[in-house]
Amino acid sequence: MKKEKKNRTHKVLSILGIVLGSLILVAFVTCIVLELVLPPESPFVLWAKENVWDVTAFPKAFQTHVKVLIHCAILITVVIALSSLLRLIFRKAMNKSNRAKTVITLLDGIIKYGCAIVLIFLVLQAFGVNTAAIWESVGVLTLIVGLGAQSLIADIIAGIFIIFENEYSVGEIVSIDGFRGTVSEIGIRATKILDMAGNIKIMNNSDIKNVVNLSRELSLAVVECEFGYDVPLEFVEKLLKDHFAEFKEHIPAIVEGPFYKGVSGYGSSNVRVKIVAQCSEEDRYQVERDLLREYRQLFVKNGFDLSYEQVVLNQPEKSEIKATKKTIKEAEEFAKEQKEASQKLEEQQN
């Protein structure tokens, strides 16, 4: 209710502001028109010239400053053209690498704001303003601005450190304070991160403290395979050993693996074993989904599946799968080999 009331008030104030502004504009235009139409010596025209605007003086003022105005138009055109050309060249060079994209994004911002400042000083100089005196007073202005804009300066300095220390680059996947996404832009003041849902989070550079760069090394896709207690563990291990090559063939995004890590837990109805694979961070979730699909299809194809709690209306047939001595031996060797091969591959524990 409070929010609706606030929105209503804001809407009413906006309408009043528009109406008031329109009335003022209409009154101004009416005064100008009457000033042009009525006799020059009439009381209204004399009042309008003194209090509103002396329209008759405009042509003379324009004639006086026409050279200056042309000079300013040329300056504005040249500076904007040079700025646009430089920024276009930088954007064309952005396709080379993530590092280049990051540095060029920063340079793009510096050129944009730098050209605006230079243009302001050139226009002031064209109108005869003593810009040298302004430059001499920059030290005092810097002190004043510095006291009032400490956070802005901190953002700029932090952005420079982020880029030159190469903490992360445009196009890399990072996690900052729990927000995971792809770095879309690193500006002189803020960093923009795009998550998988299309949301863009804008963070001030000075507020970025805890960064996890997920793109520099291979990530770990982790899947737990479940099956019923009536299926021998050794049979499952032998099955995984025989079909891991097929898993990798069916999932091209896997760089290393998959590897068998062993038993990860016992549920109320199922045994859980863990398999892991190394892949790029951008492929991690899809690789996990593909591994889940592959192992389930493999288990069903071989006559068993995971168990689940159910109300038994008829006694289901028990699996008669047995593990032979040869199977048990191969499974034990496979488990030992996989432990050694995946020794350094452990997922982060939350």
Side-chain angles (χ1 to χ4, degrees):
M1 290 296 291
K2 287 184 179 179
K3 189 175 181 180
E4 290 179 4
K5 188 176 180 181
K6 186 177 179 181
N7 289 338
R8 251 195 324 268
T9 304
H10 185 268
K11 190 175 180 180
V12 170
L13 290 174
S14 300
I15 293 170
L16 287 174
I18 293 169
V19 171
L20 184 61
S22 301
L23 290 173
I24 292 172
L25 181 62
V26 169
F28 177 77
V29 172
T30 303
C31 287
I32 300 303
V33 171
L34 291 174
E35 187 180 343
L36 293 171
V37 173
L38 295 175
E41 300 301 326
S42 64
F44 178 81
V45 172
L46 294 174
W47 176 85
K49 285 182 178 181
E50 185 177 350
N51 297 282
V52 182
W53 187 30
D54 188 358
V55 182
T56 57
F58 176 73
K60 186 178 179 181
F62 180 79
Q63 262 185 343
T64 305
H65 299 289
V66 66
K67 291 183 179 179
V68 176
L69 292 172
I70 293 172
H71 182 57
C72 289
I74 293 171
L75 285 174
I76 292 169
T77 304
V78 170
V79 172
I80 291 175
L82 284 174
S83 171
S84 301
L85 181 62
L86 285 172
R87 293 172 70 189
L88 179 63
I89 292 170
F90 285 145
R91 288 195 197 99
K92 293 292 183 183
M94 282 179 69
N95 298 323
K96 292 183 178 179
S97 65
N98 287 338
R99 177 73 172 159
K101 289 180 183 178
T102 305
V103 175
I104 288 165
T105 303
L106 179 65
L107 290 175
D108 183 76
I110 292 173
I111 289 171
K112 182 169 64 177
Y113 294 113
C115 286
I117 293 170
V118 169
L119 187 59
I120 290 169
F121 274 92
L122 289 174
V123 170
L124 289 174
Q125 191 174 21
F127 276 99
V129 177
N130 186 5
T131 54
I134 296 175
W135 282 114
E136 288 171 3
S137 63
V138 163
V140 178
L141 289 173
T142 302
L143 179 62
I144 295 170
V145 172
L147 293 173
Q150 293 180 12
S151 61
L152 176 61
I153 295 169
D155 290 335
I156 294 171
I157 293 172
I160 292 170
F161 276 111
I162 287 170
I163 291 170
F164 287 100
E165 291 184 2
N166 199 20
E167 294 180 10
Y168 52 82
S169 302
V170 173
E172 290 186 330
I173 298 174
V174 297
S175 176
I176 301 178
D177 294 328
F179 187 88
R180 179 187 181 278
T182 303
V183 179
S184 61
E185 182 182 330
I186 302 176
I188 60 174
R189 183 174 176 273
T191 293
K192 295 180 181 179
I193 300 175
L194 176 69
D195 70 5
M196 296 179 71
N199 303 308
I200 297 177
K201 185 165 186 177
I202 302 172
M203 302 181 181
N204 289 347
N205 291 328
S206 61
D207 292 334
I208 297 172
K209 306 297 181 185
N210 302 312
V211 182
V212 180
N213 193 323
L214 303 169
S215 294
R216 298 288 169 88
E217 301 291 339
L218 292 175
S219 296
L220 203 62
V222 182
V223 168
E224 289 189 330
C225 309
E226 297 190 29
F227 55 91
Y229 283 98
D230 57 325
V231 181
L233 176 63
E234 296 84 357
F235 180 82
V236 173
E237 290 175 339
K238 175 68 165 56
L239 202 59
L240 293 174
K241 176 189 175 183
D242 294 341
H243 292 83
F244 264 0
E246 293 180 15
F247 280 22
K248 188 169 184 178
E249 184 181 342
H250 294 163
I251 310 173
I254 293 177
V255 179
E256 295 289 340
F259 301 101
Y260 173 70
K261 295 295 290 181
V263 178
S264 59
Y266 297 99
S268 57
S269 303
N270 297 293
V271 181
R272 294 191 299 271
V273 296
K274 184 174 293 183
I275 58 175
V276 298
Q278 286 186 297
C279 60
S280 300
E281 175 62 24
E282 57 264 29
D283 297 326
R284 178 163 64 94
Y285 292 133
Q286 188 58 51
V287 168
E288 289 179 350
R289 287 189 284 267
D290 291 341
L291 283 171
L292 287 169
R293 183 177 186 275
E294 289 294 325
Y295 102 77
R296 177 73 188 284
Q297 285 187 323
L298 177 65
F299 286 3
V300 172
K301 186 178 178 181
N302 283 271
F304 66 96
D305 196 1
L306 56 86
S307 298
Y308 47 90
E309 295 181 4
Q310 55 187 307
V311 177
V312 178
L313 300 179
N314 65 312
Q315 188 65 33
E317 293 182 6
K318 292 288 184 180
S319 170
E320 295 184 2
I321 296 173
K322 303 294 181 184
T324 63
K325 289 182 179 180
K326 183 181 178 181
T327 299
I328 292 172
K329 184 179 179 181
E330 289 188 19
E332 289 175 350
E333 290 174 355
F334 168 67
K336 185 178 179 182
E337 289 171 1
Q338 290 294 299
K339 285 177 190 175
E340 293 174 358
S342 64
Q343 188 174 4
K344 294 181 180 180
L345 304 180
E346 294 292 344
E347 73 276 15
Q348 293 291 330
Q349 301 294 328
N350 294 325

